[in-house]
Amino acid sequence: MKTSKTISAFLLIAALGAYTQASAETLTIVIEDIDDATGILQVQVMAGQAQFEGEGAVAQFMEPAVAGTLTFTAEDLPPGEYAIRIMHDLNGNGELDTNFVGMPTEPYAFSNNARGSFGPAKWEDARFVVESDVTQVISLNP
Amino acid sequence: MHRRQFTKLLALMACPLPASVLAQSDGENWTEMFAEAVREYPWLAAWGNVEQDRYEADAVVRGNWPEALQGVVYRTGPAQHEIFGYRNRHWFDGNGMVHAWRIDGGGVRHQARLIETLKLQAERAAGRALYSGLSGAPPGQAGLTGPNDVNSGNTSVLFHHDRLLALWEAGSPYEIDAETLETRGIYNFEEPGGGSSMRGAPFSAHPRVDVDGSVWNFGYASAAGLLVFWHIGADGALRKAGRIAVDPMTMPHDFVVTEKHLVILLPPFHFRPAADAMGFLDMHEWRPQDPCRVLVVDKNDFSSHYFLELPAQWIFHFGNAWEDRSGVIRFDGARAPDPSIMTQTFTEIMRGNPDYGRAARHYGYRLDTRARTISEESMLEPGVFTEFPSIDPRVGCRQYRKLVFLSQSEADLAEHGTLNEVNLFDIESGRRDWFRYPDTQIPEEHLYAPRPGSEPESGGWILGTAFDWRRGRHIINLFNAEGIADGPVASAELPYAIPLGLHGKFVTG
Ligand SMILES: [Fe+2]
């Protein structure tokens, strides 16, 4: 089953004062290997290292999960470096649940399918360049 | 906007976990170095790479296998040491293989299978070694989302509530089909109220079975700086769990349980992750000037606990423990002066270095829970090195006087440098009886098998496997516990040998 959702980054970026007259590109995010059709899939696109390691996003999606693949489209992105963070909020409590010792117990993933070592992926591993329309295929259960 | 969720996500992932650490690859060809070393020192084949992913054979039996001895020796151990040409840099990094030696009215049948872990499946899919281990890392290694990414199930087994579990040091149990030895997957204990907070929490390889059939265990989460304690009922469900912060964290491998307490030694092998670490061991610093802390925990209330101190030391394994009416705990363990057997010897052996280090001597400990003091004392003459202590399972967590262990004498000039004697030791009388294995055989852990209907610690057998490196055969030997010096009364031999394993359990029936 495939679902496609589209959002324009234009307004978000304009609001942040980051919008310039450069060309605007489309980022397609294909999330594969969604094992469980319950809960909510949350996707966040960050522009630059500071935003990736800090707060905020240039585009965010929240959609009911489906088993298999979900596709999201972020439009009007100015050229630059981005990273994507995805979490599958299985029980819909709005949080990434963790176990007794603080490890995430719900699926999560990063752009480039980057993985950290005992922690989140690093910016250097998750970043990708947008200079024309680009697609990121990310597995939620690598 | 849903910033809150993502902020929380980032905070959680950044906070209790250390900075992203990827070990360096050394770029050496250990597969070649090891193959060359085996030509010169053929006994090193015990650390060779497993040849098949499953084995099955009727063993050729010799001697008298008693009709009354019926059951299965389940074992596990690192077996696949070479992954698509990359040879692991540590003995304990090998992918686990689980074994069943089925003993039934004189016949002995053996099965073994590689455990289908997430790690093994990821490596197979990638066609190469992927992960950093205790030592070193393959080129182009992948990051880890948590310890279960590298959980190999290679350390010990637990047979509990009719369920066979293969255990590792810092992750979840793997459930194994006790009949076919197929891997069923990561096992999560049923939690009260259907919760899931214990999923992925560390469950160490040396749980202790109490007299009521319930199981106690601990686990360490290095990045979070937490020791976890588990109590699993005889019905297989989680009764309770607790957390105790330990700073700095270390690598405790085993612990003991008494009538009232859990006792765990915390050697000064401090967790200090560094960006240029060469594997997990290298994220630790041995500090011999610091004490070995001793954590004493109330079984009924994990929040009630305190720390005592011993001189710096390293212990893999304890035999047993018990507590008398005046609150004095006595326990025993194989005590090494430092962790070099793990940090150096078990890496060097993978390279093919034949200098097998001798490490542990057997010590007895006396812990007074009222005065809050602890003392230690050597149990054996100084020239005896020991490992793999085990007991009659019927006296686990209670008063005991007999220990089974492997040993090696300092003066022994065996061709291989490893442990080569199996012992029955009487703690009260100090009497030690032992059998020395031929130089062509390397014994693995030996276990006490009770004789049906007998009194505890009396009239039983000792069952143990050994690797015959000259003939390329694996064997299992049976001793009368009270006549161990006479040698095996029965044995059974396989048409193959499998790399040296670690721990097992004898399951009657
Ligand atoms: Fe062990």
Side-chain angles (χ1 to χ4, degrees), chain A residues 42 44 53-56 60 62 85 94-96 98-101 103 105 108 110 115-120 122, chain B residues 1-3 5-10 12-13 17 21 143-145 149 197-201 224 228 242-243:
Chain A
Q42 301 197 9
Q44 191 180 38
E53 291 169 359
E55 288 198 9
Q60 299 192 88
M62 284 184 75
R85 189 155 57 220
E95 296 180 349
L96 182 73
T98 57
N99 73 0
F100 210 53
V101 294
M103 282 171 34
T105 53
Y108 64 92
F110 294 90
R115 298 170 84 179
S117 184
F118 295 95
K122 289 191 291 190
Chain B
M1 298 297 287
H2 305 280
R3 173 180 294 176
Q5 292 85 345
F6 287 102
T7 306
K8 168 128 194 201
L9 162 61
L10 188 66
L12 270 171
M13 293 177 62
L17 304 162
V21 175
L144 303 180
T145 56
D149 290 349
S197 74
M198 299 308 287
R199 290 187 179 205
V228 177
R243 282 174 292 210

Side-chain angles (χ1 to χ4, degrees), chain B residues 180-302:
Chain B
T180 65
L181 300 190
E182 270 172 59
T183 305
R184 290 184 178 160
I186 280 186
Y187 183 72
N188 297 300
F189 291 101
E190 188 190 317
E191 298 180 38
S196 62
S197 74
M198 299 308 287
R199 290 187 179 205
F203 189 86
S204 291
H206 290 288
R208 299 264 167 187
V209 181
D210 214 330
V211 290
D212 63 358
S214 69
V215 172
W216 302 88
N217 201 7
F218 72 96
Y220 63 86
S222 303
L226 291 171
L227 278 181
V228 177
F229 291 92
W230 304 71
H231 190 205
I232 313 290
D235 62 356
L238 179 73
R239 277 198 203 160
K240 63 174 175 177
R243 282 174 292 210
I244 296 176
V246 168
D247 182 26
M249 185 47 76
T250 177
M251 293 178 68
H253 181 75
D254 192 2
F255 77 139
V256 291
V257 178
T258 74
E259 283 82 344
K260 293 179 178 168
H261 292 94
L262 315 175
V263 180
I264 184 162
L265 264 60
L266 303 169
F269 191 52
H270 297 326
F271 181 64
R272 298 201 196 286
D276 58 348
M278 298 285 288
F280 189 67
L281 291 175
D282 202 29
M283 295 180 202
H284 294 76
E285 182 191 356
W286 173 246
R287 290 182 55 87
Q289 65 274 39
D290 290 349
C292 174
R293 288 169 300 162
V294 181
L295 173 59
V296 186
V297 184
D298 185 338
K299 276 166 98 173
N300 292 317
D301 177 8
F302 293 155

